[in-house]
Amino acid sequence: MDNLINCARCGSDACYVEEVNQDIKTYFCYGCGFQSNSLMTQNSEFLTQQSEVLPELYKDLFFEDPSGMIWMPSAVNLPQQGMIFAMGNNASEWTWAAVKAIPVTEEEKEKYPIPGKEGQYYEWRMDMTTLQNYPERGYIDALSYIGVLPE
Ligand SMILES: [Zn+2]
C-alpha cells in the first residue's frame, strides 16, 4: 500500500512510502527531497555499495533518523524533462539545482551522439543555462520548474 506519512527527517507530511515487499519499504520526501529505504542502515551492505558511487556532498548529507535509517538527497534525471540534484560544497552550504531538458536541434545533433550507436543522436539534452538553485525546502518548486509537477 502506498501512502503519505510524516518525514522522519524534516517533519513535513509529504513523505511518500512505497512497500516493495514485506521487509522493504522505500521513502521519498517531497518536502525535503531526501530518500531512504529499509536497507539503508549504518554499515549495511546496501549503504556501503551506495557510498562507493555517491558524490562527497551526498555522503556529507547522510542523515540518520531515530529508527536507524539513513536518508540521502535524491537525484532525479528525466531525459525529456530535466534533472534535480544536490549541489554545493558541504552539508551546511548546498542547494538543489534544477536543469531543464530541451530538444536537440538538427544543427547541433552531431554534438550529441549516442555512444555505441553509429548515426544515432540524442533527441533531448540538459540545458545547463537553465540551471536554477532552490533551498532544501524548495524541492517541490524545483520539481515544478522541470515540469514534473504542475506550477
Ligand atoms: Zn523530508
Side-chain angles (χ1 to χ4, degrees), residues 84-123:
I84 301 172
F85 52 92
M87 177 180 174
N89 296 325
N90 55 56
S92 52
E93 221 180 305
W94 71 280
T95 61
W96 293 113
V99 176
K100 288 182 182 184
I102 56 168
V104 172
T105 63
E106 191 60 30
E107 294 76 53
E108 66 185 5
K109 72 173 189 184
E110 303 283 337
K111 284 194 278 182
Y112 303 99
I114 299 177
K117 299 204 174 168
E118 182 110 12
Q120 290 186 44
Y121 304 92
Y122 287 109
E123 289 176 33

Side-chain angles (χ1 to χ4, degrees), residues 119-134:
Q120 290 186 44
Y121 304 92
Y122 287 109
E123 289 176 33
W124 295 82
R125 67 181 177 87
M126 296 299 162
D127 181 0
M128 296 311 284
T129 67
T130 65
L131 192 146
Q132 288 249 21
N133 296 102
Y134 293 88

